[in-house]
Amino acid sequence: MSLFVDKLKTQIAKELIISDEELLRAYECDALSAYRQLPLCVVLPENVEQVQAIMQLCYQENVPVVARGAGTGLSGGAMPVADGLLLSLARFNEIIEVDPHQRTARVQPGVRNICVSEAAEKYDLFYAPDPSSQIACTIGGNVAENSGGVHCLKYGLTVHNIMAVKLITVTGELVEIGAESLDSAGYDLLALITGSEGMLGVIVEVTLKLLSKPLCNKVLLAAFDEVEAAGDSVAGIIASGIIPAGLEMMDNACIRAVEDYLHAGYPVDAAAILICEIDGAAEEVDSECRKVEAILKAAGASEVRVARDKAEGEIFWAGRKSAFPAVGRIASDYYCMDGTIPRKHIGSVLNMINDLAEQYHLGVVNVFHAGDGNLHPLILYDVSIEGEQERAEELGGKILEICVEVGGTITGEHGVGVEKINQMCVQFNTEELLQFHAIKSAFDPKGLLNPGKAIPTLHRCAEFGAMHVHQGKLPHADLERF
Amino acid sequence: MTGELVQQYQQHIQDAYVAETPLCIQGGGSKAFYGRKIKGEILDVSANAGVISYEPTELVITVRAGTTISEINEVLAKEKQMLAFEPPCFATNATAGGMVACGLSGPRRPYVGAVRDFVLGLKCLNGKAEILNFGGQVMKNVAGYDVSRLMTGAMGTLGVLLEVSLKVLPEPEYELTLKGESDLATAIQLMNKWAGQSVPVSATSFHDGNIYIRLSGHKSAVLAAASQFPLSEYPDGENYWQSLREHKDNYFADDFSSDSRNLWRLSVPSTTEEINLQGQWLIEWGGAQRWLITSEPLEQIRNVAGKAGGHATLFRGGDRDGEIFQPLSTGIEHLHVALKNAFDPKRILNRGRLYKKF
Ligand SMILES: Cc1cc2nc3c(=O)[nH]c(=O)nc-3n(C[C@H](O)[C@H](O)[C@H](O)COP(=O)(O)OP(=O)(O)OC[C@H]3O[C@@H](n4cnc5c(N)ncnc54)[C@H](O)[C@@H]3O)c2cc1C
C-alpha cells in the first residue's frame, strides 16, 4: 500500500479511508460513465477539522484532491485522478439551520438538493434551483457546477440563490466567503467559487437563500407541427413581458419515448411540445395564462391544453421529469449535451442538429430548458458497437461548436469537467485561457485541486487545434504545434 | 472609431505596464467620490460608448462601457423593459462601466437581485493590456470561471471594462407605494415578514418614523396585495424611490465634506435588530441596507457591522485616504492580493481604490 495512505491513516481514522480496489470501483466515475479512473484512495471525512488535516497532508505530499458530492455530474468533474485522493463529502449531510424569518438555510455540502425544500416546506419556503437530479445531487455539487433546473428561468441559478460558503483552501485553511448580508466587502469571491468545479477549494458549508412559495400556479401544454414554431413561441412569450416559472420543450423523439414509458397522454404526432408554468397571485396567473395561450395559438400551436388542476399539471410535468430515464429505455447508451444559445436560434439549431445526426448515423433526442435557450440534445448510441461511442462524442463536439457559432456557450449548467475540455479551446482564446490559469494559481499554486478538469492547457488546445480546423481557421494559430 | 479607441486604451495600458505607471480609470466620473482616493494617470474611457445590440426577446442588452445609464434606460423603456436592479446614477453622465465596476444597486435589489446577478458577460482589458471576453449573452453559461461577476464591484482593480452584456427584465405593469407610521424595530420586523410572504414587494424603506413599501406587478395582484397592508397609498411613490436611489432625498442633503459627520452604508443580515450606534438612520432593502449619518468613530462602526454579520462602508465624507471598505480577514485578503496579481501583476489599474494594499 502506498506510503501516502499510511501517512493518512496516522491522521484520519482508518474507517474513513477506502483503498481496497473493489470498493474504489464505486467511485471511478460520475454520471458520465464513459470516463473512468481509479483514485489512490477515497476518504469520507465527517468534520471540517478532518478535511483540513487531509488538505494539509495532501499539500505537503503533493497529492491531487478531487472533491465529490453524489457523483451525478454529467461532465466527468468528479472523476478521480490517478494517484490522487478522492474526497467524498457524503457524510456532510446535515441541515444545520433553517431560519424562516431571515429566509435562509445553512447546510453541509453533502445535503441532497431536495432535502432543503423539504425542510423549508413547513414555513412555506423553498429553495429555487431544482436540477432534474435533485433527489440525488448535493448542494456542494450544485455550487461547484452552478446548477440550474426547470424553475431557473424565473428564479435564477445556484449563483443567484446562495449567500455564503465556507471553503477549505488547498493549504487546509478555512475561509468564509459571502455573508448573510446581501453583499460583502471586496471581490465577489462567491460568484467565482460558484461553478468553479472543485478547482479552487473544498466547500464545507453553504448558506442558501429561501423564497416564499408562490400563491398558485398553472401549467400549459402546447403541441406544434413544426419545431421552428415552437421555438418562435418561446421568444414570443418572453417578448410579451411574461417570465414563466418554467418553459420546457421536447421534440418528437422525446415525446414518443416519454409516452411509451409513462403514458402521460402527450400528443405523439407533434413535432414538438412546450410545457409552460406560470406562477404568482391568482389574478396574475389567470391573466398571464390567457396571454400565453393566445401567443401559443398565434405562433401556430395545433393544440393548447391548460391543466384543470394541480393533478393534471403534475401529469404534464411528469413526462418532462422522466425524460432521461425514458430515453434510457430506447437506447443502450446516451450522451447528454448542454449547450446554451440565444432563444431566437432554437428552431434553426435543432434542425442543424438533426442534419448532423443523420450524417453521423446516430439518433438524437431533444428535451431542454427552452426559456433559457439551454439545449440538452441526448445522442443515442450503443457502446458495444465498435466506433459508435467515438462517433457520438464527435457529434457532441460538433453540436457544441454550433452553439458557440450562434453566440452561445458549450455548457449552460453541466460544467466542462473532462468532457468539454477540447471545446473550451473553441470558446476561449489563448489569453483568456491563461487568465483562467492565473486565477487557478491564485487559489491553488501547485495545481492539486481537481487537476486536468475545466480549463485546458494550451498544449492540449494546440493538439486539439491540429486535428481540428474551426471555420477554416486554426485556433491558436500563433502557438507552436507540439 | 471605437476600435481605435480600444487600441488607444490598450496602448496606454501597455505603456503603463512597461513604465509601471498607476492608472486611474474614469468613466463619467459620477462615482469618483466612491472608494479610496488614488493617484495616477487618468485613463478616460467614457468615449467608448453606444449600444451594440439589444434584442428584447432575448432579454439582453450589450453596450460599450462608456454608454450612459440614462441612455440604456431610455432604450429599454421603449420596449417596456428595464435594468431591474435600478442602478443609482448620482449624475447624468454615469456610465455602464462605472455601474458594473462599483456594483451598486437600487431599491429593487433584495427582491430581484443586484448588478452582479444581471451581468451575463463582458469584454475587458487586463493589467497586461490583453483584450479578454468572459461569459456571454446567454442566460446560462458555466464555461470557465465567472470572471464577469468577479469584476462586478471590483472597482476597476482587475480590468478596464470595454463592453458588458446585461440581462434585462420586463417593466412591471403596475406599481403602487404605500406609507405608514412606524418605529424602527417594528419596521424591520414588518419588512422581513413581508419578504417571507407571497406579495409582490419591490422596495421597502424606513425613515423619519415612516415605513414605505412599493408593490409591483400585475395590476390586480398589486391592488389585492395593497388591501392587506395597514398602510395608506402614497401618491408620490415614483419620485420617492428615485430620490432615495439617487441620494437626492433630504436625508442625504449634506455633502459631508466639512464637519465630522459622515455617511455610512451598513450591509447587514436583514433581520438584524436596531443597531446601537448614534446618528440618523435610513433603512432600505428589507432591513439589509442601512444608511447612517454619524460622527461615531470608524472602528466602532466597523466592529458593530462585523459583529452583526455584515460590513460597513464609509460612503461619503471622512478620510478618503484611509480604508473605506471593511477590512478583510487574513485568508480572504490573501486571495484578493493573489487575484489582483493574476489580473494586474504590475498593479497599475486603480491601485488602492478598493484597499490600500492593492
Ligand atoms: C439524470 C440527471 C439529471 C440532471 N439534471 C440536471 C439539471 O437539470 N440541471 C443541472 O444543472 N444539472 C443536472 N444534472 C447534473 C448534476 O446532477 C449536477 O451537476 C449536480 O450539481 C452535481 O451534483 P453532485 O453532488 O452529484 O456532484 P458531483 O458529480 O459529485 O461533483 C460535481 C463537481 O462538483 C465538485 N464538487 C462536489 N462537491 C464539492 C465540494 N463540496 N466542494 C468542492 N467541489 C465539489 C466535484 O469535484 C465535481 O467537479 C443531472 C444529472 C443527471 C444524472
Side-chain angles (χ1 to χ4, degrees):
Chain A
M1 192 64 303
S2 102
L3 212 60
F4 173 76
V5 177
D6 289 342
K7 277 195 189 152
L8 194 62
K9 284 180 181 161
T10 65
Q11 309 251 340
I12 304 288
K14 281 202 294 288
E15 301 76 54
L16 304 178
I17 303 172
I18 300 172
S19 53
D20 179 83
E21 192 179 321
E22 271 320 294
L23 298 175
L24 288 180
R25 288 269 166 235
Y27 296 91
E28 69 179 346
C29 63
D30 62 9
L32 181 68
S33 55
Y35 295 83
R36 290 167 196 267
Q37 174 64 55
L38 283 182
L40 177 64
C41 64
V42 173
V43 191
L44 296 124
E46 294 175 317
N47 58 48
V48 172
E49 292 72 27
Q50 288 170 350
V51 176
Q52 289 182 286
I54 295 164
M55 295 309 293
Q56 278 159 10
L57 185 66
C58 287
Y59 189 72
Q60 196 184 312
E61 304 287 325
N62 295 316
V63 172
V65 179
V66 178
R68 180 185 175 100
T72 68
L74 286 169
S75 54
M79 185 185 81
V81 176
D83 299 324
L85 179 147
L86 187 87
L87 188 70
S88 165
L89 280 306
R91 296 195 182 172
F92 277 73
N93 58 359
E94 197 191 327
I95 296 182
I96 303 164
E97 185 191 10
V98 176
D99 181 341
H101 198 44
Q102 177 79 38
R103 303 168 312 283
T104 55
R106 217 149 49 81
V107 307
Q108 291 189 319
V111 166
R112 289 179 294 121
N113 174 295
I114 196 153
C115 299
V116 180
S117 285
E118 282 171 2
E121 168 121 53
K122 60 172 173 282
Y123 307 111
D124 273 335
L125 299 170
F126 73 112
Y127 176 60
D130 55 346
S132 313
S133 51
Q134 71 181 149
I135 55 166
C137 66
T138 68
I139 294 297
N142 292 173
V143 174
E145 300 285 13
N146 190 18
S147 295
V150 296
H151 291 102
C152 284
L153 178 57
K154 181 161 178 182
Y155 296 109
L157 306 162
T158 302
V159 71
H160 303 110
N161 288 282
I162 64 173
M163 311 200 58
V165 302
K166 286 187 183 161
L167 189 83
I168 306 295
T169 66
V170 73
T171 54
E173 196 184 344
L174 173 72
V175 291
E176 297 188 26
I177 292 173
E180 290 199 15
S181 48
L182 289 179
D183 41 46
S184 42
Y187 296 148
D188 196 337
L189 299 182
L190 192 62
L192 187 62
I193 292 304
T194 311
S196 66
E197 303 195 22
M199 305 274 290
L200 304 181
V202 178
I203 298 157
V204 291
E205 191 181 301
V206 188
T207 304
L208 307 166
K209 191 163 93 183
L210 302 175
L211 301 179
S212 59
K213 281 195 165 172
L215 294 172
C216 64
N217 63 357
K218 258 194 179 162
V219 189
L220 294 94
L221 188 153
F224 291 85
D225 296 333
E226 275 169 47
V227 174
E228 286 89 343
D232 291 347
S233 61
V234 170
I237 292 169
I238 304 289
S240 76
I242 295 170
I243 308 286
L247 187 54
E248 299 281 309
M249 185 161 156
M250 291 159 88
D251 70 2
N252 180 268
C254 190
I255 299 167
R256 283 176 188 273
V258 164
E259 195 50 31
D260 282 347
Y261 179 70
L262 203 76
H263 311 294
Y266 282 2
V268 290
D269 294 324
I273 60 171
L274 276 181
I275 300 173
C276 178
E277 180 174 317
I278 308 280
D279 70 8
E283 308 81 5
E284 195 169 12
V285 172
D286 281 339
S287 121
E288 292 196 343
C289 225
R290 279 195 300 274
K291 263 203 219 167
V292 168
E293 201 176 338
I295 293 168
L296 291 167
K297 285 187 174 145
S302 51
E303 184 191 357
V304 181
R305 302 180 196 168
V306 183
R308 280 172 304 240
D309 49 24
K310 200 162 172 261
E312 195 178 11
E314 276 168 13
I315 294 174
F316 288 1
W317 271 125
R320 165 62 184 93
K321 288 191 174 154
S322 62
F324 284 31
V327 171
R329 286 207 330 170
I330 59 166
S332 67
D333 303 278
Y334 68 81
Y335 183 35
C336 176
M337 311 309 299
D338 175 43
T340 304
I341 55 169
R343 296 176 192 92
K344 63 180 171 201
H345 295 305
I346 289 176
S348 60
V349 169
L350 288 181
N351 285 334
M352 282 193 247
I353 292 175
N354 281 336
D355 292 347
L356 270 177
E358 259 174 47
Q359 277 173 38
Y360 278 80
H361 304 294
L362 291 169
V364 175
V365 171
N366 281 292
V367 45
F368 61 98
H369 311 301
D372 286 318
N374 185 192
L375 305 178
H376 286 327
L378 305 176
I379 303 173
L380 313 182
Y381 69 98
D382 184 345
V383 74
S384 65
I385 298 176
E386 169 105 19
E388 273 215 346
Q389 180 170 341
E390 290 71 27
R391 281 219 314 283
E393 281 174 14
E394 205 182 308
L395 170 57
K398 286 268 174 340
I399 292 175
L400 297 186
E401 284 158 33
I402 294 180
C403 295
V404 176
E405 259 165 53
V406 301
T409 173
I410 58 171
T411 174
E413 58 181 16
H414 295 165
V416 173
V418 284
E419 179 210 15
K420 295 184 264 298
I421 200 111
N422 286 340
Q423 280 72 36
M424 284 292 284
C425 313
V426 179
Q427 189 161 335
F428 295 98
N429 68 26
T430 305
E431 284 80 23
E432 288 153 359
L433 292 173
L434 285 173
Q435 186 65 73
F436 286 144
H437 285 298
I439 294 170
K440 164 80 169 162
S441 298
F443 281 77
D444 177 17
K446 290 188 182 180
L448 294 176
L449 292 165
N450 217 1
K453 313 280 177 68
I455 315 291
T457 59
L458 296 185
H459 183 114
R460 176 153 191 150
C461 286
E463 277 182 344
F464 178 64
M467 326 178 301
H468 182 95
V469 180
H470 179 54
Q471 296 175 324
K473 283 180 295 199
L474 268 179
H476 312 283
D478 47 328
L479 261 192
E480 201 183 325
R481 310 275 138 185
F482 301 90
Chain B
M1 213 276 278
T2 54
E4 271 165 41
L5 278 175
V6 170
Q7 266 175 16
Q8 244 170 290
Y9 305 157
Q10 192 172 19
Q11 190 59 51
H12 199 151
I13 297 174
Q14 187 95 58
D15 297 344
Y17 178 82
V18 174
E20 304 200 18
T21 317
L23 297 177
C24 194
I25 311 161
Q26 200 175 81
S30 66
K31 294 173 187 77
F33 70 89
Y34 189 60
R36 298 185 65 254
K37 198 155 84 196
I38 55 166
K39 293 194 192 69
E41 246 173 58
I42 303 278
L43 174 60
D44 183 343
V45 290
S46 58
N48 179 33
V51 174
I52 297 170
S53 69
Y54 169 42
E55 284 183 70
T57 60
E58 299 295 325
L59 299 180
V60 179
I61 188 165
T62 300
V63 298
R64 294 194 185 88
T67 315
T68 60
I69 300 177
S70 49
E71 181 181 345
I72 298 173
N73 286 342
E74 249 170 60
V75 170
L76 296 178
K78 279 191 195 131
E79 300 291 336
K80 291 198 164 63
Q81 295 189 335
M82 62 176 183
L83 294 175
F85 50 93
E86 294 183 301
C89 295
F90 297 143
T92 48
N93 55 359
T95 65
M99 169 184 90
V100 172
C102 293
L104 299 173
S105 306
R108 211 181 295 268
R109 192 275 170 246
Y111 310 101
V112 297
V115 196
R116 57 92 88 172
D117 295 304
F118 291 86
V119 170
L120 297 175
L122 52 79
K123 179 171 172 178
C124 64
L125 276 158
N126 67 8
K128 295 193 279 184
E130 294 164 340
I131 295 180
L132 308 171
N133 278 287
F134 297 105
Q137 291 168 296
V138 288
M139 296 297 135
K140 293 166 91 173
N141 187 353
V142 292
Y145 302 120
D146 195 344
V147 177
S148 316
R149 291 198 170 91
L150 178 66
M151 291 226 169
T152 309
M155 301 288 292
T157 58
L158 298 178
V160 176
L161 304 178
L162 298 173
E163 293 171 14
V164 288
S165 292
L166 299 159
K167 178 179 175 178
V168 301
L169 283 183
E171 281 176 358
E173 176 190 296
Y174 190 72
E175 285 197 332
L176 190 70
T177 299
L178 304 172
K179 176 183 172 183
E181 279 178 26
S182 169
D183 59 66
L184 192 148
T186 316
I188 293 170
Q189 280 255 336
L190 283 175
M191 289 177 183
N192 279 285
K193 194 176 117 195
W194 296 335
Q197 295 171 346
S198 292
V199 276
V201 182
S202 69
T204 43
S205 78
F206 169 83
H207 79 294
D208 284 345
N210 285 302
I211 187 166
Y212 298 80
I213 171 171
R214 182 178 65 189
L215 301 168
S216 306
H218 197 267
K219 186 170 180 181
S220 57
V222 168
L223 292 176
S227 64
Q228 297 169 25
F229 291 97
L231 306 170
S232 46
E233 188 174 339
Y234 182 62
D236 204 20
E238 200 175 328
N239 281 328
Y240 173 72
W241 297 111
Q242 189 176 329
S243 70
L244 266 196
R245 186 190 74 205
E246 294 301 331
H247 287 191
K248 290 274 166 59
D249 187 276
N250 264 338
Y251 173 86
F252 300 99
D254 198 332
D255 70 354
F256 306 102
S257 59
S258 47
D259 66 3
S260 61
R261 294 176 342 134
N262 301 316
L263 176 67
W264 286 85
R265 171 181 182 266
L266 281 76
S267 173
V268 291
S270 62
T271 49
T272 306
E273 287 175 5
E274 205 166 334
I275 294 175
N276 190 14
L277 289 168
Q278 294 305 311
Q280 283 84 56
W281 288 96
L282 188 153
I283 300 194
E284 279 191 272
W285 292 11
Q289 172 165 273
R290 303 188 187 185
W291 299 99
L292 174 63
I293 298 174
T294 188
S295 41
E296 294 263 34
L298 175 141
E299 292 76 28
Q300 196 185 340
I301 298 170
R302 292 259 152 82
N303 230 325
V304 172
K307 281 216 179 87
H311 62 103
T313 304
L314 180 54
F315 207 85
R316 291 178 200 262
D319 174 13
R320 304 313 285 182
D321 294 317
E323 290 296 12
I324 298 299
F325 300 99
Q326 188 96 1
L328 305 169
S329 71
T330 321
I332 295 287
E333 184 183 80
H334 176 82
L335 292 174
H336 275 69
V337 172
L339 281 169
K340 172 73 173 171
N341 288 338
F343 281 89
D344 178 19
K346 298 256 179 100
R347 302 193 185 180
I348 53 175
L349 303 177
N350 278 1
R351 181 194 292 170
R353 180 91 191 251
L354 193 56
Y355 288 97
K356 209 177 259 171
K357 210 166 182 174
F358 55 92

